[in-house]
Amino acid sequence: MALKSRSTDGSCSSSSRTRSSVQILIVIGVCCFFYLIGAWQRSGFCKEDSIALDITNNAKKDSNLVPNLNFQTRHSGQVKDINVRLVKACIARYTDYTPCQDQKRAMKLSRKNMVYRERHCPSEDKKLRCLIPAPKGYVTPFPWPKSRDYVPYVNAPYKSLTVEKAVQNWIEYEGDVFRFPGGGTQFPQGVDEYIDQLASVIPIEDGTVRTALDTGCGVASWGAYLWSRKVITMSFAPRDSHQAQVQFALERGVPAVIGVLGTIKMPYPSSAFDMAHCSRCLIQWGSNEGIYMMEVDRVLRPGGYWILSGPPINGKVNYKAWQHPKKEFQEQQEKIESFAELFCWKKIFQKGEIAIWQKSENDASCSSRKDDPRAKFCSAEADDVWYKKMEPCITPYPDVTGGELKTFPQRLHAVPPRIASGSVPGISVEAYREDKNKWKKHVSAYKRINRLLVSGRYRNIMDMNAGLGGFAAAIESNKSWTMNVVPTIAEKNALGVVYERGLIGIYHDWCESFSTYPRTYDLIHANGVFSLYKDQCNAEDILLEMDRILRPEGAVIFRDEVDTLVKIKKIITGMRWDTKMMDHEDGPLVPEKILVAVKQYWTTGGNSTSSV
C-alpha cells in the first residue's frame, strides 16, 4: 500500500508539472502574439493604400517604377484629427512668385547696402497658401548636357536679357528656345577660353579645386562650363532688373540661389569654397571697411583662390571704356590690394582685367598682421550665419588638425578633416563611416524603387535635411547635382563637412521659403524633416513650399516615422500629388517608412493630368 501510495503521488506530481508547462507555454505564446500584433500596428499596417503613379503619357512610356516591386502598400495608418483639404491653385500672376524676394515688397525697403534685395519673408498672415501654377505650355527641361545650352522659352518667357546683353553673348532667343552661347560680360568670346586662362594659374583640372562660389553670377555660364572639369559651383545673384537670371541658371541645370552681398552673412559655412569668383559683379569690394572681402575670406578655405575680373582691375587702362574717372578705379584697386594684404592673400596673377589672389594656408604664415591695427578678429562663431549681420572683422583660421583635404573624387568618401580632428561635436570617425554606409544602403533601395534615379532624369536634386551629406555622396553622378540643405535648427551643424566632401549646400529654415524660383528642382529628398519641424511650424506650409520649388512630374522621397508620413500623405492628397507608402528596406517591423510622391502635371489655364 505504501508503494502504491508513492506511485499515485508521483503520477499526480507529474500531471501537475505537465499542466504547469502547458500553461507557461500558453502564456508565452499569448505574449508573443500580442507583441507581434503591437509591432504590426506600430509599423502602420492597417488598410490598403490606393496609389497611382499615373501621370502623363510620356511618363508612362518610361515608367520610373521597378516592375517586379510590389507597390500595393501594406502600411497605412489611421488618422481621425486631420481632414483632407483640396488646396486651390494660385492665380496665374503668381507663376514665378518668390515669397522672400517679392519685388513689390522689396520696392518699399531701403536701397542702402542692397537691403531691399535681401531676404524679406511674409508674415504668417500674409503667406500665400495656394499651389503655384506652371505657365501654360510648360515642358520638362532638356536633359543635361543639352540643358546647358538650351532652355524652352515657355518655361521662362523673359526676353529682356536677350536685348540688354546682346553684344555679350549671354543669351539668344531662337524660335521656341533660348540659347546660351557661353559668353559673358568679361568673356564675350566664350567662357571655356576664360576658364583655360584661369586654369593656367589655378589647379582646376586635377581635383584640387572642387567647390566654387560665383558672386553675381548672371545666367551662371561660368559654373555651367566648370562642370565638365569636375568643379561644382554655387552661383548666386539677386532678383533684380536682370530678370530671371537665377531662374535661367536652374533651368539650365546649374546650381544657383537668389542672393546678394548686402548686410547679412552668406548662408554658407566658413572655409567652404576652394575658389571664389567675381566677374564684373558690381560689388564694391573696397567699401564699408572691406566687409564684403571679409565675408569672402570667411567662406574661402585656407589655400583657396579669389578671382576678380573687370572693374576696377587695370582701371588705369580701361577707365575710358568703363566710363569712370581713372582716379576712381585706381583708388578702388588700392583699397582691394590693401585688404587682401591684411587677410594674407597673395596676388599670384594679374593680366588685363583679371587678378587672382591665393589665401594663406594657415595663421602661422600670416604673423605680420598681428601687429596691424586694422586686424580686428571676429569673436562670433564663424558658422553662425542665419540672418546675422556682417561685421568688419577677420575670421580666424580654423583650428583643424585632421590632415590635408584630399583631391576629388577621393574626398567624397574619405574622412573629412573636420571629422578626423573632432571639430564637429558628437560625430566621430566611426559615426561618419556608419552614416556613409547607411546612406549607401538607403540610396540602393531608392534606386530599386525608382530606376530613373540613375538615368539622368533628375538633374537638380535637393536634400532638405542633409546631415553629413551621405545621401548626396551616395547618389553622386556627373548627370546630377544635389543642394544639401542643413536646417538652422538641426542638432548638429555639419555643413562644413558636406563641403569637405566636395559637395555644396546651404543653411536654411524650412519655416520660411527657399531662395529660389518655382519649378527649379526635379527631385526632393526629405529625411526626417517633418519630425524635426514638428513643433516649429505648420507642416502644410513646408509642403506647399516643396510644391512651389518642385517641377511638374518631379518626385519626392520622404523618409520618416510612419505616423508622421500618414499625416503628410493626408495633406498632399489634396495637392495634386500621387503617393505610395512602402516599408523600410529592413522590413515591415521597422517604424521608419518611405513615402514616394510624384507631382502631377498641370498648368495655369487648366491643362492637367488630374481631375482634382
PDB file of all heavy atoms in Angstrom, residues 260-292:
ATOM      1  N   VAL A 260      22.391  87.995 -52.431  1.00  0.00           N
ATOM      2  CA  VAL A 260      23.112  89.242 -52.652  1.00  0.00           C
ATOM      3  C   VAL A 260      24.060  89.477 -51.474  1.00  0.00           C
ATOM      4  O   VAL A 260      23.787  89.032 -50.347  1.00  0.00           O
ATOM      5  CB  VAL A 260      22.127  90.422 -52.799  1.00  0.00           C
ATOM      6  CG1 VAL A 260      21.392  90.686 -51.489  1.00  0.00           C
ATOM      7  CG2 VAL A 260      22.831  91.684 -53.289  1.00  0.00           C
ATOM      8  N   LEU A 261      25.174  90.122 -51.736  1.00  0.00           N
ATOM      9  CA  LEU A 261      26.038  90.585 -50.649  1.00  0.00           C
ATOM     10  C   LEU A 261      25.552  91.972 -50.236  1.00  0.00           C
ATOM     11  O   LEU A 261      25.801  92.956 -50.920  1.00  0.00           O
ATOM     12  CB  LEU A 261      27.494  90.653 -51.122  1.00  0.00           C
ATOM     13  CG  LEU A 261      28.360  89.420 -50.858  1.00  0.00           C
ATOM     14  CD1 LEU A 261      29.757  89.620 -51.436  1.00  0.00           C
ATOM     15  CD2 LEU A 261      28.445  89.112 -49.370  1.00  0.00           C
ATOM     16  N   GLY A 262      24.825  92.017 -49.143  1.00  0.00           N
ATOM     17  CA  GLY A 262      24.264  93.273 -48.663  1.00  0.00           C
ATOM     18  C   GLY A 262      24.742  93.569 -47.259  1.00  0.00           C
ATOM     19  O   GLY A 262      25.835  94.093 -47.047  1.00  0.00           O
ATOM     20  N   THR A 263      23.921  93.190 -46.267  1.00  0.00           N
ATOM     21  CA  THR A 263      24.286  93.408 -44.862  1.00  0.00           C
ATOM     22  C   THR A 263      24.344  92.103 -44.076  1.00  0.00           C
ATOM     23  O   THR A 263      24.886  92.069 -42.975  1.00  0.00           O
ATOM     24  CB  THR A 263      23.273  94.339 -44.176  1.00  0.00           C
ATOM     25  OG1 THR A 263      21.989  93.689 -44.127  1.00  0.00           O
ATOM     26  CG2 THR A 263      23.149  95.648 -44.916  1.00  0.00           C
ATOM     27  N   ILE A 264      23.773  91.030 -44.645  1.00  0.00           N
ATOM     28  CA  ILE A 264      23.663  89.748 -43.950  1.00  0.00           C
ATOM     29  C   ILE A 264      24.731  88.776 -44.456  1.00  0.00           C
ATOM     30  O   ILE A 264      25.061  88.755 -45.639  1.00  0.00           O
ATOM     31  CB  ILE A 264      22.259  89.134 -44.166  1.00  0.00           C
ATOM     32  CG1 ILE A 264      21.172  90.117 -43.720  1.00  0.00           C
ATOM     33  CG2 ILE A 264      22.106  87.813 -43.426  1.00  0.00           C
ATOM     34  CD1 ILE A 264      21.207  90.466 -42.241  1.00  0.00           C
ATOM     35  N   LYS A 265      25.262  87.966 -43.555  1.00  0.00           N
ATOM     36  CA  LYS A 265      26.258  86.974 -43.937  1.00  0.00           C
ATOM     37  C   LYS A 265      25.686  85.980 -44.956  1.00  0.00           C
ATOM     38  O   LYS A 265      24.489  85.668 -44.927  1.00  0.00           O
ATOM     39  CB  LYS A 265      26.749  86.207 -42.703  1.00  0.00           C
ATOM     40  CG  LYS A 265      27.534  87.060 -41.724  1.00  0.00           C
ATOM     41  CD  LYS A 265      27.996  86.226 -40.528  1.00  0.00           C
ATOM     42  CE  LYS A 265      28.794  87.079 -39.544  1.00  0.00           C
ATOM     43  NZ  LYS A 265      29.255  86.285 -38.381  1.00  0.00           N
ATOM     44  N   MET A 266      26.535  85.491 -45.817  1.00  0.00           N
ATOM     45  CA  MET A 266      26.111  84.477 -46.777  1.00  0.00           C
ATOM     46  C   MET A 266      25.772  83.184 -46.033  1.00  0.00           C
ATOM     47  O   MET A 266      26.416  82.853 -45.032  1.00  0.00           O
ATOM     48  CB  MET A 266      27.215  84.222 -47.802  1.00  0.00           C
ATOM     49  CG  MET A 266      27.483  85.391 -48.725  1.00  0.00           C
ATOM     50  SD  MET A 266      28.671  85.010 -50.064  1.00  0.00           S
ATOM     51  CE  MET A 266      30.214  84.970 -49.132  1.00  0.00           C
ATOM     52  N   PRO A 267      24.775  82.431 -46.500  1.00  0.00           N
ATOM     53  CA  PRO A 267      24.321  81.231 -45.771  1.00  0.00           C
ATOM     54  C   PRO A 267      25.187  80.000 -46.023  1.00  0.00           C
ATOM     55  O   PRO A 267      24.684  78.907 -46.304  1.00  0.00           O
ATOM     56  CB  PRO A 267      22.897  81.037 -46.309  1.00  0.00           C
ATOM     57  CG  PRO A 267      22.961  81.561 -47.704  1.00  0.00           C
ATOM     58  CD  PRO A 267      23.916  82.738 -47.659  1.00  0.00           C
ATOM     59  N   TYR A 268      26.497  80.177 -45.920  1.00  0.00           N
ATOM     60  CA  TYR A 268      27.450  79.099 -46.148  1.00  0.00           C
ATOM     61  C   TYR A 268      28.416  79.022 -44.970  1.00  0.00           C
ATOM     62  O   TYR A 268      28.667  80.022 -44.289  1.00  0.00           O
ATOM     63  CB  TYR A 268      28.230  79.330 -47.455  1.00  0.00           C
ATOM     64  CG  TYR A 268      27.355  79.702 -48.620  1.00  0.00           C
ATOM     65  CD1 TYR A 268      27.497  80.938 -49.255  1.00  0.00           C
ATOM     66  CD2 TYR A 268      26.363  78.842 -49.070  1.00  0.00           C
ATOM     67  CE1 TYR A 268      26.680  81.301 -50.316  1.00  0.00           C
ATOM     68  CE2 TYR A 268      25.543  79.199 -50.130  1.00  0.00           C
ATOM     69  CZ  TYR A 268      25.697  80.425 -50.747  1.00  0.00           C
ATOM     70  OH  TYR A 268      24.881  80.782 -51.785  1.00  0.00           O
ATOM     71  N   PRO A 269      28.996  77.855 -44.722  1.00  0.00           N
ATOM     72  CA  PRO A 269      29.918  77.720 -43.590  1.00  0.00           C
ATOM     73  C   PRO A 269      31.273  78.344 -43.881  1.00  0.00           C
ATOM     74  O   PRO A 269      31.605  78.667 -45.030  1.00  0.00           O
ATOM     75  CB  PRO A 269      30.034  76.200 -43.432  1.00  0.00           C
ATOM     76  CG  PRO A 269      29.796  75.668 -44.810  1.00  0.00           C
ATOM     77  CD  PRO A 269      28.780  76.584 -45.432  1.00  0.00           C
ATOM     78  N   SER A 270      32.066  78.498 -42.859  1.00  0.00           N
ATOM     79  CA  SER A 270      33.421  79.025 -43.021  1.00  0.00           C
ATOM     80  C   SER A 270      34.317  77.980 -43.688  1.00  0.00           C
ATOM     81  O   SER A 270      34.052  76.773 -43.613  1.00  0.00           O
ATOM     82  CB  SER A 270      33.991  79.414 -41.658  1.00  0.00           C
ATOM     83  OG  SER A 270      34.021  78.286 -40.796  1.00  0.00           O
ATOM     84  N   SER A 271      35.340  78.460 -44.372  1.00  0.00           N
ATOM     85  CA  SER A 271      36.337  77.583 -45.019  1.00  0.00           C
ATOM     86  C   SER A 271      35.668  76.534 -45.901  1.00  0.00           C
ATOM     87  O   SER A 271      36.025  75.351 -45.872  1.00  0.00           O
ATOM     88  CB  SER A 271      37.210  76.896 -43.957  1.00  0.00           C
ATOM     89  OG  SER A 271      37.863  77.843 -43.161  1.00  0.00           O
ATOM     90  N   ALA A 272      34.717  76.974 -46.702  1.00  0.00           N
ATOM     91  CA  ALA A 272      33.933  76.038 -47.506  1.00  0.00           C
ATOM     92  C   ALA A 272      34.416  75.913 -48.946  1.00  0.00           C
ATOM     93  O   ALA A 272      34.490  74.808 -49.491  1.00  0.00           O
ATOM     94  CB  ALA A 272      32.463  76.469 -47.498  1.00  0.00           C
ATOM     95  N   PHE A 273      34.735  77.032 -49.589  1.00  0.00           N
ATOM     96  CA  PHE A 273      34.962  77.030 -51.033  1.00  0.00           C
ATOM     97  C   PHE A 273      36.449  77.009 -51.377  1.00  0.00           C
ATOM     98  O   PHE A 273      37.261  77.701 -50.772  1.00  0.00           O
ATOM     99  CB  PHE A 273      34.299  78.254 -51.667  1.00  0.00           C
ATOM    100  CG  PHE A 273      32.804  78.254 -51.545  1.00  0.00           C
ATOM    101  CD1 PHE A 273      32.170  78.974 -50.538  1.00  0.00           C
ATOM    102  CD2 PHE A 273      32.023  77.522 -52.436  1.00  0.00           C
ATOM    103  CE1 PHE A 273      30.788  78.969 -50.421  1.00  0.00           C
ATOM    104  CE2 PHE A 273      30.641  77.508 -52.324  1.00  0.00           C
ATOM    105  CZ  PHE A 273      30.019  78.225 -51.323  1.00  0.00           C
ATOM    106  N   ASP A 274      36.774  76.219 -52.376  1.00  0.00           N
ATOM    107  CA  ASP A 274      38.145  76.158 -52.880  1.00  0.00           C
ATOM    108  C   ASP A 274      38.478  77.362 -53.759  1.00  0.00           C
ATOM    109  O   ASP A 274      39.649  77.693 -53.948  1.00  0.00           O
ATOM    110  CB  ASP A 274      38.350  74.881 -53.708  1.00  0.00           C
ATOM    111  CG  ASP A 274      38.002  73.629 -52.935  1.00  0.00           C
ATOM    112  OD1 ASP A 274      38.383  73.537 -51.766  1.00  0.00           O
ATOM    113  OD2 ASP A 274      37.348  72.732 -53.514  1.00  0.00           O
ATOM    114  N   MET A 275      37.441  77.984 -54.294  1.00  0.00           N
ATOM    115  CA  MET A 275      37.645  79.091 -55.234  1.00  0.00           C
ATOM    116  C   MET A 275      36.410  79.994 -55.199  1.00  0.00           C
ATOM    117  O   MET A 275      35.284  79.504 -55.139  1.00  0.00           O
ATOM    118  CB  MET A 275      37.849  78.512 -56.648  1.00  0.00           C
ATOM    119  CG  MET A 275      38.009  79.518 -57.760  1.00  0.00           C
ATOM    120  SD  MET A 275      38.564  78.717 -59.323  1.00  0.00           S
ATOM    121  CE  MET A 275      37.180  77.618 -59.710  1.00  0.00           C
ATOM    122  N   ALA A 276      36.629  81.306 -55.212  1.00  0.00           N
ATOM    123  CA  ALA A 276      35.534  82.277 -55.284  1.00  0.00           C
ATOM    124  C   ALA A 276      35.795  83.206 -56.462  1.00  0.00           C
ATOM    125  O   ALA A 276      36.949  83.470 -56.813  1.00  0.00           O
ATOM    126  CB  ALA A 276      35.421  83.073 -53.985  1.00  0.00           C
ATOM    127  N   HIS A 277      34.710  83.714 -57.059  1.00  0.00           N
ATOM    128  CA  HIS A 277      34.829  84.391 -58.355  1.00  0.00           C
ATOM    129  C   HIS A 277      33.860  85.559 -58.440  1.00  0.00           C
ATOM    130  O   HIS A 277      32.710  85.477 -57.997  1.00  0.00           O
ATOM    131  CB  HIS A 277      34.515  83.370 -59.462  1.00  0.00           C
ATOM    132  CG  HIS A 277      34.495  83.928 -60.843  1.00  0.00           C
ATOM    133  ND1 HIS A 277      33.307  84.137 -61.542  1.00  0.00           N
ATOM    134  CD2 HIS A 277      35.487  84.305 -61.685  1.00  0.00           C
ATOM    135  CE1 HIS A 277      33.593  84.606 -62.750  1.00  0.00           C
ATOM    136  NE2 HIS A 277      34.907  84.724 -62.867  1.00  0.00           N
ATOM    137  N   CYS A 278      34.350  86.651 -58.983  1.00  0.00           N
ATOM    138  CA  CYS A 278      33.510  87.805 -59.310  1.00  0.00           C
ATOM    139  C   CYS A 278      33.912  88.294 -60.683  1.00  0.00           C
ATOM    140  O   CYS A 278      35.038  88.751 -60.880  1.00  0.00           O
ATOM    141  CB  CYS A 278      33.682  88.912 -58.275  1.00  0.00           C
ATOM    142  SG  CYS A 278      33.114  90.553 -58.839  1.00  0.00           S
ATOM    143  N   SER A 279      33.013  88.176 -61.619  1.00  0.00           N
ATOM    144  CA  SER A 279      33.267  88.663 -62.967  1.00  0.00           C
ATOM    145  C   SER A 279      32.325  89.830 -63.236  1.00  0.00           C
ATOM    146  O   SER A 279      31.143  89.637 -63.515  1.00  0.00           O
ATOM    147  CB  SER A 279      33.022  87.542 -63.994  1.00  0.00           C
ATOM    148  OG  SER A 279      33.104  88.030 -65.310  1.00  0.00           O
ATOM    149  N   ARG A 280      32.864  91.030 -63.081  1.00  0.00           N
ATOM    150  CA  ARG A 280      32.073  92.255 -63.260  1.00  0.00           C
ATOM    151  C   ARG A 280      30.752  92.171 -62.481  1.00  0.00           C
ATOM    152  O   ARG A 280      29.664  92.447 -62.994  1.00  0.00           O
ATOM    153  CB  ARG A 280      31.812  92.506 -64.749  1.00  0.00           C
ATOM    154  CG  ARG A 280      31.544  93.976 -65.085  1.00  0.00           C
ATOM    155  CD  ARG A 280      31.315  94.158 -66.593  1.00  0.00           C
ATOM    156  NE  ARG A 280      31.009  95.518 -66.928  1.00  0.00           N
ATOM    157  CZ  ARG A 280      31.889  96.424 -67.351  1.00  0.00           C
ATOM    158  NH1 ARG A 280      33.149  96.085 -67.485  1.00  0.00           N
ATOM    159  NH2 ARG A 280      31.513  97.649 -67.650  1.00  0.00           N
ATOM    160  N   CYS A 281      30.871  91.785 -61.224  1.00  0.00           N
ATOM    161  CA  CYS A 281      29.671  91.536 -60.414  1.00  0.00           C
ATOM    162  C   CYS A 281      29.138  92.791 -59.741  1.00  0.00           C
ATOM    163  O   CYS A 281      28.134  92.732 -59.025  1.00  0.00           O
ATOM    164  CB  CYS A 281      29.964  90.468 -59.363  1.00  0.00           C
ATOM    165  SG  CYS A 281      31.263  90.912 -58.189  1.00  0.00           S
ATOM    166  N   LEU A 282      29.824  93.920 -59.926  1.00  0.00           N
ATOM    167  CA  LEU A 282      29.354  95.227 -59.453  1.00  0.00           C
ATOM    168  C   LEU A 282      29.313  95.354 -57.933  1.00  0.00           C
ATOM    169  O   LEU A 282      28.620  96.207 -57.394  1.00  0.00           O
ATOM    170  CB  LEU A 282      27.966  95.551 -60.040  1.00  0.00           C
ATOM    171  CG  LEU A 282      27.879  95.513 -61.576  1.00  0.00           C
ATOM    172  CD1 LEU A 282      26.464  95.862 -62.027  1.00  0.00           C
ATOM    173  CD2 LEU A 282      28.901  96.445 -62.210  1.00  0.00           C
ATOM    174  N   ILE A 283      30.036  94.495 -57.227  1.00  0.00           N
ATOM    175  CA  ILE A 283      30.147  94.601 -55.772  1.00  0.00           C
ATOM    176  C   ILE A 283      31.291  95.562 -55.442  1.00  0.00           C
ATOM    177  O   ILE A 283      32.390  95.431 -55.978  1.00  0.00           O
ATOM    178  CB  ILE A 283      30.399  93.223 -55.127  1.00  0.00           C
ATOM    179  CG1 ILE A 283      29.195  92.303 -55.366  1.00  0.00           C
ATOM    180  CG2 ILE A 283      30.671  93.363 -53.625  1.00  0.00           C
ATOM    181  CD1 ILE A 283      29.432  90.866 -54.965  1.00  0.00           C
ATOM    182  N   GLN A 284      31.032  96.507 -54.578  1.00  0.00           N
ATOM    183  CA  GLN A 284      32.039  97.492 -54.190  1.00  0.00           C
ATOM    184  C   GLN A 284      32.957  96.892 -53.130  1.00  0.00           C
ATOM    185  O   GLN A 284      32.805  97.115 -51.936  1.00  0.00           O
ATOM    186  CB  GLN A 284      31.345  98.761 -53.677  1.00  0.00           C
ATOM    187  CG  GLN A 284      30.460  99.450 -54.701  1.00  0.00           C
ATOM    188  CD  GLN A 284      31.245  99.915 -55.924  1.00  0.00           C
ATOM    189  OE1 GLN A 284      32.294 100.550 -55.812  1.00  0.00           O
ATOM    190  NE2 GLN A 284      30.742  99.591 -57.112  1.00  0.00           N
ATOM    191  N   TRP A 285      33.937  96.121 -53.587  1.00  0.00           N
ATOM    192  CA  TRP A 285      34.753  95.328 -52.675  1.00  0.00           C
ATOM    193  C   TRP A 285      35.535  96.173 -51.666  1.00  0.00           C
ATOM    194  O   TRP A 285      35.768  95.737 -50.530  1.00  0.00           O
ATOM    195  CB  TRP A 285      35.707  94.450 -53.477  1.00  0.00           C
ATOM    196  CG  TRP A 285      35.009  93.401 -54.298  1.00  0.00           C
ATOM    197  CD1 TRP A 285      34.881  93.369 -55.657  1.00  0.00           C
ATOM    198  CD2 TRP A 285      34.334  92.244 -53.802  1.00  0.00           C
ATOM    199  NE1 TRP A 285      34.165  92.254 -56.040  1.00  0.00           N
ATOM    200  CE2 TRP A 285      33.811  91.550 -54.924  1.00  0.00           C
ATOM    201  CE3 TRP A 285      34.109  91.715 -52.530  1.00  0.00           C
ATOM    202  CZ2 TRP A 285      33.100  90.366 -54.807  1.00  0.00           C
ATOM    203  CZ3 TRP A 285      33.390  90.527 -52.413  1.00  0.00           C
ATOM    204  CH2 TRP A 285      32.899  89.876 -53.534  1.00  0.00           C
ATOM    205  N   GLY A 286      35.949  97.337 -52.027  1.00  0.00           N
ATOM    206  CA  GLY A 286      36.759  98.144 -51.120  1.00  0.00           C
ATOM    207  C   GLY A 286      35.960  99.011 -50.169  1.00  0.00           C
ATOM    208  O   GLY A 286      36.536  99.673 -49.304  1.00  0.00           O
ATOM    209  N   SER A 287      34.646  99.015 -50.278  1.00  0.00           N
ATOM    210  CA  SER A 287      33.815  99.891 -49.446  1.00  0.00           C
ATOM    211  C   SER A 287      33.445  99.230 -48.121  1.00  0.00           C
ATOM    212  O   SER A 287      33.715  98.051 -47.892  1.00  0.00           O
ATOM    213  CB  SER A 287      32.531 100.261 -50.216  1.00  0.00           C
ATOM    214  OG  SER A 287      31.732  99.110 -50.432  1.00  0.00           O
ATOM    215  N   ASN A 288      32.791 100.003 -47.272  1.00  0.00           N
ATOM    216  CA  ASN A 288      32.289  99.518 -45.979  1.00  0.00           C
ATOM    217  C   ASN A 288      33.364  98.772 -45.170  1.00  0.00           C
ATOM    218  O   ASN A 288      33.125  97.688 -44.634  1.00  0.00           O
ATOM    219  CB  ASN A 288      31.064  98.611 -46.176  1.00  0.00           C
ATOM    220  CG  ASN A 288      29.844  99.374 -46.626  1.00  0.00           C
ATOM    221  OD1 ASN A 288      29.810 100.610 -46.568  1.00  0.00           O
ATOM    222  ND2 ASN A 288      28.844  98.672 -47.120  1.00  0.00           N
ATOM    223  N   GLU A 289      34.546  99.364 -45.106  1.00  0.00           N
ATOM    224  CA  GLU A 289      35.663  98.815 -44.319  1.00  0.00           C
ATOM    225  C   GLU A 289      36.093  97.426 -44.786  1.00  0.00           C
ATOM    226  O   GLU A 289      36.621  96.626 -44.010  1.00  0.00           O
ATOM    227  CB  GLU A 289      35.291  98.758 -42.829  1.00  0.00           C
ATOM    228  CG  GLU A 289      34.910 100.103 -42.220  1.00  0.00           C
ATOM    229  CD  GLU A 289      34.514  99.965 -40.768  1.00  0.00           C
ATOM    230  OE1 GLU A 289      35.424  99.859 -39.920  1.00  0.00           O
ATOM    231  OE2 GLU A 289      33.307  99.962 -40.484  1.00  0.00           O
ATOM    232  N   GLY A 290      35.845  97.134 -46.064  1.00  0.00           N
ATOM    233  CA  GLY A 290      36.258  95.839 -46.611  1.00  0.00           C
ATOM    234  C   GLY A 290      35.387  94.682 -46.183  1.00  0.00           C
ATOM    235  O   GLY A 290      35.788  93.512 -46.276  1.00  0.00           O
ATOM    236  N   ILE A 291      34.153  94.974 -45.771  1.00  0.00           N
ATOM    237  CA  ILE A 291      33.298  93.958 -45.161  1.00  0.00           C
ATOM    238  C   ILE A 291      32.938  92.832 -46.144  1.00  0.00           C
ATOM    239  O   ILE A 291      32.793  91.665 -45.759  1.00  0.00           O
ATOM    240  CB  ILE A 291      32.033  94.624 -44.576  1.00  0.00           C
ATOM    241  CG1 ILE A 291      31.353  93.708 -43.569  1.00  0.00           C
ATOM    242  CG2 ILE A 291      31.061  95.049 -45.670  1.00  0.00           C
ATOM    243  CD1 ILE A 291      30.286  94.404 -42.739  1.00  0.00           C
ATOM    244  N   TYR A 292      32.811  93.157 -47.426  1.00  0.00           N
ATOM    245  CA  TYR A 292      32.449  92.133 -48.415  1.00  0.00           C
ATOM    246  C   TYR A 292      33.626  91.195 -48.689  1.00  0.00           C
ATOM    247  O   TYR A 292      33.448  89.974 -48.827  1.00  0.00           O
ATOM    248  CB  TYR A 292      31.972  92.783 -49.712  1.00  0.00           C
ATOM    249  CG  TYR A 292      30.825  93.759 -49.498  1.00  0.00           C
ATOM    250  CD1 TYR A 292      30.893  95.076 -49.955  1.00  0.00           C
ATOM    251  CD2 TYR A 292      29.678  93.358 -48.823  1.00  0.00           C
ATOM    252  CE1 TYR A 292      29.856  95.961 -49.738  1.00  0.00           C
ATOM    253  CE2 TYR A 292      28.632  94.237 -48.598  1.00  0.00           C
ATOM    254  CZ  TYR A 292      28.726  95.548 -49.050  1.00  0.00           C
ATOM    255  OH  TYR A 292      27.700  96.423 -48.820  1.00  0.00           O
TER     256      TYR A 292
END
